Amino acid sequence: QVQLVESGGGLVQAGESLRLSCAASGSTFSINGMGWYRQAPGKQRELVAAITSGRSTNYADSVKGRFTISRDNAKNTVSLQMNSLRPEDTAVYYCYAREYSAGTYLGTYWGQGTQVTVSS
């Protein structure tokens, strides 16, 4: 089992920055992919950014150039630096971690979510 605890959400004005962090505990040796999804009211959950244990990254087109994902494998943390925030970035942000064993996908763990609100 893996537990994920997020921090760093809040209310900011457009153009400002926020940094989200997610700390994993438990069976962290089995984690490969980590990242962030978000879900705005009335919309489906969407991938924001992802990072592998080898630090390969992937971003949603809407956040490229503004958001940066990073990972500390030794501390089992993943962070999301969000710059130039826009009102459309307003959502609940969820940290996730994907568990593998001998190359076989076992499942995905989710954090509790943290609210990011960007006012215009």
Side-chain angles (χ1 to χ4, degrees):
Q1 291 288 319
V2 174
Q3 296 79 43
L4 301 173
V5 177
E6 301 146 345
S7 59
L11 170 64
V12 296
Q13 292 188 331
E16 294 184 340
S17 299
L18 275 176
R19 185 177 181 86
L20 305 182
S21 294
C22 176
S25 61
S27 301
T28 57
F29 60 88
S30 60
I31 293 174
N32 188 336
M34 297 185 76
W36 298 87
Y37 275 73
R38 67 186 180 187
Q39 187 166 20
K43 295 188 176 181
Q44 288 188 328
R45 190 175 291 193
E46 63 172 353
L47 178 67
V48 177
I51 187 167
T52 68
S53 56
R55 297 185 174 83
S56 295
T57 59
N58 183 40
Y59 295 93
D61 287 343
S62 60
V63 307
K64 283 181 181 177
R66 300 188 298 123
F67 290 11
T68 302
I69 190 169
S70 60
R71 179 171 177 171
D72 186 329
N73 289 331
K75 296 181 178 180
N76 297 309
T77 59
V78 62
S79 298
L80 186 67
Q81 178 66 41
M82 305 185 293
N83 298 330
S84 302
L85 283 161
R86 304 168 180 169
E88 53 264 39
D89 295 318
T90 294
V92 178
Y93 285 68
Y94 296 91
C95 172
Y96 75 88
R98 293 204 167 96
E99 185 179 23
Y100 290 80
S101 177
T104 300
Y105 170 70
L106 297 181
T108 299
Y109 296 92
W110 295 93
Q112 78 281 6
T114 185
Q115 177 70 46
V116 172
T117 303
V118 184
S119 62
S120 57

